[in-house]
Amino acid sequence: MKLTKYGHACVRLEKDGKVLVLDPGTLSPGPVLDGADAVLITHEHFDHVDVERLRSAPAGLEVWTCEAVAAELTGIPAKVQVVRHGDEFEAAGFAVGVYGEWHAKNHPDMSIVQNVGFMFDEEVFYPGDALTVPDREVPTLLVPTNAPWMKLLEMVEYLRTIRPARAFSTHDGLLNDIGLSLVDNWLKLESDKQHADMRRLAVGESITLT
């Protein structure tokens, strides 16, 4: 499995000639959907879904997401399928499990929206904007490292609860170079403590998971 980090919270997974894209939002510019067979979207916020981009996607593309996002995608050419916590399905050749139901608490005047996390081939877990703990081992965690809804303490506690062999930063597109360097330091400290591979991939950087 090849994993490529794109801007902010967007990730591409590739296997056996198939391409799956996670959360291609408006903060992830570029041709992130080129060659994609499936798109999975965790929730409705603009930094995770770009409706206009999906309107121009080919009809053969499959989209898997929660009910709230599906309602926003009415009329796009791609086939949209609703998933919920506990569902299992196959997308672009990946076995996918769905975990979680709600976005983390954010602003006190904002309602909590739906949010689903995805596990791929029992290897990679992507929680979206939540700190969901699956009921199984997580070898590779895509860990949110910066957001209006989270604190450093919560990120570290999440890593210590999951205890993945590998963790790669997501949701870091709001940070400048100084903030990114802090993320690098925090992940290195936790990586050394847990004797694991925890770090931030640069935009466009890929890693092969075996």
Side-chain angles (χ1 to χ4, degrees):
M1 182 192 306
K2 179 182 177 183
L3 184 155
T4 303
K5 167 69 183 296
Y6 281 80
H8 191 54
C10 181
V11 174
R12 278 172 65 111
L13 299 177
E14 300 175 53
K15 183 182 72 170
D16 299 331
K18 297 286 188 177
V19 177
L20 184 153
V21 180
L22 282 161
D23 280 5
T26 60
L27 299 185
S28 303
V32 296
L33 295 186
D34 283 6
D37 299 286
V39 169
L40 275 63
I41 300 166
T42 59
H43 66 284
E44 64 194 67
H45 291 157
F46 71 93
D47 53 333
H48 294 260
V49 57
D50 185 342
V51 176
E52 293 308 311
R53 177 185 282 169
L54 290 172
R55 289 194 195 285
S56 61
L61 184 70
E62 291 190 340
V63 177
W64 305 78
T65 188
C66 62
E67 186 176 359
V69 174
E72 293 187 0
L73 299 181
T74 302
I76 72 168
K79 180 181 179 181
V80 180
Q81 298 165 90
V82 173
V83 294
R84 300 174 180 83
H85 174 74
D87 286 349
E88 296 181 350
F89 61 96
E90 183 175 305
F94 290 87
V96 186
V98 183
Y99 292 88
E101 299 178 88
W102 302 107
H103 192 287
K105 292 181 180 180
N106 203 341
H107 192 282
D109 297 336
M110 295 176 62
S111 59
I112 300 175
V113 302
Q114 292 179 327
N115 180 95
V116 289
F118 300 107
M119 175 82 82
F120 302 95
D121 287 352
E122 302 291 336
E123 172 63 43
V124 175
F125 182 60
Y126 179 92
D129 278 12
L131 300 177
T132 305
V133 179
D135 60 353
R136 62 191 62 198
E137 180 183 0
V138 177
T140 303
L141 177 66
L142 300 178
V143 58
T145 54
N146 174 261
W149 49 266
M150 75 178 300
K151 299 182 293 187
L152 169 60
L153 173 65
E154 294 170 327
M155 182 196 81
V156 173
E157 288 181 339
Y158 189 48
L159 288 169
R160 293 183 182 182
T161 298
I162 298 289
R163 301 197 68 82
R166 292 164 295 278
F168 303 113
S169 171
T170 63
H171 215 280
D172 49 24
L174 302 180
L175 295 170
N176 60 18
D177 289 343
I178 296 172
L180 292 174
S181 70
L182 289 175
V183 167
D184 292 339
N185 289 337
W186 294 331
L187 290 178
K188 184 178 187 307
L189 286 171
E190 199 58 29
S191 180
D192 292 344
K193 184 178 183 67
Q194 294 195 33
H195 305 289
D197 180 11
M198 299 180 179
R199 53 195 165 99
R200 179 177 59 89
L201 301 177
V203 174
E205 184 177 355
S206 300
I207 187 168
T208 300
L209 305 175
T210 56

